[in-house]
Amino acid sequence: MIRTLDDLDCEGVAVGVRIDINSPLSETGLADDARLRAHVETLSELLERGARVAILAHQGRPGDDDFSTLAAHADRLDELLSFPVDYCDATFSAAARERVAGLDGGEAVLLENTRFYAEEYMEFDPERAADTHLVEGLVPALDVYVNDAFAAAHRSQPSLVGFPQRLPGYAGRVMERELDVLATIEETPQPRVYLLGGAKVGDSIGVARSVLERGLADTVLTAGLVGNVCLLASGAELGTASAEFVYDQGYWDEIDRAGELLDAHDELRVPVDVAIERDGERHEIPVAELPQETETPAMDVGSETVAAYSEVLADAGTVILNGPAGVFEEETFAHGTRELYSTASEADHSIVGGGDTAAAIRRLGIDGFSHVSTGGGASLALLAGDSLPAVEALDE
Ligand SMILES: Nc1ncnc2c1ncn2[C@@H]1O[C@H](COP(=O)(O)OP(=O)(O)O)[C@@H](O)[C@H]1O
Ligand SMILES: O=C(OP(=O)(O)O)[C@H](O)COP(=O)(O)O
C-alpha cells in the first residue's frame, strides 16, 4: 500500500519533497515551466497545511549543457506559489540542515541540484541508496519524505529510493494521479488504441510488444521514426535517406523485433504513405511508390495514413499516445501529429505520455485529453508493464 498526503499530518513537520523540475533551459533561465507548474498542487497543499518543506530535485545530467544550479527554478517556484520558496546552494551538508531547521510552517527551501553529487547519478538498490552521503546527511533534518517526482520514478537513485528506507514515505499528488491513470490502463474502455511515434524506437517497440502480448491493445498504430523502422521491418522500400537514417542510429535489433511483432500481430499497423522534403516543400508519396533513391528521409506520415489511422482513433474507447507522428517542430511536418492528435483528443478516454509529446500538444494548441503525463521514460516503462523503482520503494 502506498500512503498519500491524505495520510500525512503536516503541521510543523519537516517534509522532504522530491519533485521533477528537470526542464529545458534558455540563456536567461527556464525555457519552459510546465514541470514546475505540475508540482504546485502538492507543494501548496503541504505548505497550506503547515509543513516545513525541503524540496529536492535534479536538473540535467553531468557534462550536459543543461546541467545547472536550481536558482532559477527556486525563483520561478516562488512566483508560482503563494508561499515563500527560498534557494539554498547546498543539498545535504550542515548548511542545508540548518536552512531546513530554520524553516517555519508554511515556508519552503529548494535545495541544490541533487546530481551535483556523484552518488545521485548512480543507481542503487534502495537499502544501499539509503547509506549514501546524500540520504544520511539530510535525514536528520527531516521527519517524513514525499515523492512527487513521477517523471524520474524509473531511476533507482538515492533521492528517489533511499529516503523512504529511513523515513515514512508518501506519494505526492502528481505521483498519485499518474499512477491512478497509467497503472490501471487495463481497466479503461475498449477498443484500446495505441499510437506510438517519436524517436525512442527501442522503448516504443518494447511498449508495442508488451501491450500486444498482454492483450491490452486492440490496435497499435505506428508513426514517426518508430513507423519508419516498422516499415523497414515489413520489407518496404523506404528510400535510401530514411533507411540510412535508421541504420546510422544502429536500429538493427529494433528492425528484427518489429519484424517478429508484425508477423505475429495483425493489430500492429504501419503507415501507407509518408511525407518527405523536396525542393523545400512537403511532398507526400505512397510507400509502395517511394523511389529507391531519396535525398531526404520520411519526416511525417502522409494524408492517406492520417485518414486510415483517424478512422481507428475515432472508434476507440481509449487512446494512448506516445511520441509525435512526425518532426512536428517543423510546420511542414506537423500535419500528421496535428490531425491524429486532434482526433485522439476527442476519444472518451485519452492518455498522453512523453516529454516531447506533451510539448507537441502545447505547441500545436491541442487540448481536451483526459490525462497528460509529466513523464517520458517513466510513462513508457509503466505502459510496457514494468514497475518503477521509486514507486516500489514507497510501497509498504
Ligand atoms: N520521422 C521522424 N524522423 C525523425 N525524427 C522524428 C520523426 N518523427 C518524429 N521525430 C522526432 O521525435 C522526437 C520526439 O520523440 P520522443 O523523444 O520519442 O518523444 P517523447 O519525449 O514524447 O517520448 C521529436 O523531436 C520529433 O522531431
Ligand atoms: O526528464 C526526465 O525524463 P524524460 O525525458 O524521460 O521525461 C526525468 O527528469 C529523468 O531524467 P533522466 O533521464 O536524466 O534520468
Side-chain angles (χ1 to χ4, degrees):
M1 197 206 65
I2 296 181
R3 288 177 291 208
T4 69
L5 299 192
D6 296 333
D7 306 303
L8 176 60
D9 208 356
C10 293
E11 188 62 45
V13 170
V15 184
V17 188
R18 176 62 159 100
I19 61 177
D20 190 324
I21 46 176
N22 186 26
S23 304
L25 304 182
S26 67
E27 275 176 22
T28 49
L30 289 165
D32 181 84
D33 66 359
R35 277 191 165 162
L36 286 80
R37 288 175 183 277
H39 293 291
V40 164
E41 183 186 353
T42 296
L43 295 171
S44 296
E45 180 175 345
L46 288 167
L47 291 161
E48 239 159 49
R49 290 168 57 191
R52 299 158 43 227
V53 175
I55 308 170
L56 287 156
H58 74 276
Q59 170 63 51
R61 299 175 178 183
D64 285 358
D65 288 346
D66 65 350
F67 187 52
S68 80
T69 81
L70 297 181
H73 303 64
D75 285 347
R76 188 71 190 118
L77 280 175
D78 190 52
E79 287 166 6
L80 289 170
L81 293 164
S82 43
F83 296 88
V85 181
D86 255 354
Y87 161 67
C88 172
D89 68 353
T91 311
F92 60 87
S93 60
R97 287 191 293 275
E98 272 166 34
R99 288 294 284 276
V100 178
L103 292 170
D104 283 330
E107 288 179 356
V109 62
L110 175 59
L111 300 172
E112 189 51 285
N113 187 344
T114 52
R115 289 189 180 171
F116 280 7
Y117 304 96
E119 284 174 318
E120 176 69 357
Y121 199 54
M122 297 162 77
E123 305 235 16
F124 299 100
D125 64 64
E127 202 40 62
R128 174 71 187 82
D131 282 340
T132 54
H133 295 282
L134 172 72
V135 176
E136 288 204 326
L138 197 58
V139 157
L142 301 174
D143 299 314
V144 300
Y145 170 80
V146 170
N147 193 344
D148 211 27
F150 171 77
H154 53 317
R155 307 290 182 214
S156 193
Q157 292 164 344
S159 71
L160 293 152
V161 300
F163 284 104
Q165 300 293 310
R166 295 284 181 267
L167 298 168
Y170 300 80
R173 297 303 183 200
V174 170
M175 181 70 88
E176 197 186 338
R177 204 175 308 119
E178 295 274 13
L179 296 177
D180 273 352
V181 174
L182 294 168
T184 57
I185 293 272
E186 65 275 15
E187 292 159 24
T188 54
Q190 283 181 290
R192 211 172 286 125
V193 178
Y194 287 72
L195 173 60
L196 302 178
K200 292 194 188 93
V201 177
D203 287 342
S204 294
I205 290 177
V207 171
R209 186 178 62 190
S210 170
V211 297
L212 287 166
E213 286 177 356
R214 288 187 293 151
L216 283 181
D218 294 287
T219 311
V220 176
L221 307 170
T222 61
L225 199 55
V226 178
N228 291 358
V229 167
C230 289
L231 275 170
L232 283 172
S234 74
E237 289 285 356
L238 200 50
T240 42
S242 291
E244 269 165 26
F245 190 81
V246 168
Y247 297 145
D248 283 351
Q249 315 273 325
Y251 287 137
W252 300 103
D253 286 349
E254 281 73 17
I255 294 174
D256 288 347
R257 287 165 66 211
E260 286 163 18
L261 280 183
L262 285 164
D263 288 343
H265 298 280
D266 292 340
E267 311 93 297
L268 182 60
R269 303 266 300 266
V270 296
V272 291
D273 60 348
V274 295
I276 63 170
E277 189 180 313
R278 192 176 277 169
D279 301 326
E281 303 222 328
R282 177 184 173 98
H283 193 82
E284 294 193 0
I285 313 181
V287 167
E289 292 168 25
L290 266 165
Q292 245 195 344
E293 297 291 324
T294 48
E295 277 164 28
T296 54
M299 307 256 269
D300 194 11
V301 292
S303 303
E304 294 296 320
T305 306
V306 169
Y309 282 10
S310 293
E311 269 182 40
V312 179
L313 292 169
D315 285 342
T318 303
V319 176
I320 295 124
L321 301 176
N322 193 279
V327 182
F328 70 94
E329 297 91 339
E330 294 178 35
E331 185 50 36
T332 323
F333 298 110
H335 174 75
T337 307
R338 180 179 287 117
E339 294 301 313
L340 293 173
Y341 279 23
S342 296
T343 307
S345 72
E346 283 158 23
D348 282 349
H349 209 73
S350 50
I351 299 166
V352 180
D356 283 303
T357 313
I361 63 169
R362 283 198 297 275
R363 186 186 170 112
L364 301 174
I366 305 165
D367 48 26
F369 295 99
S370 319
H371 179 76
V372 181
S373 177
T374 52
S379 62
L380 275 168
L382 267 191
L383 292 177
D386 297 336
S387 57
L388 303 176
V391 174
E392 288 196 328
L394 286 180
D395 210 348
E396 290 261 282

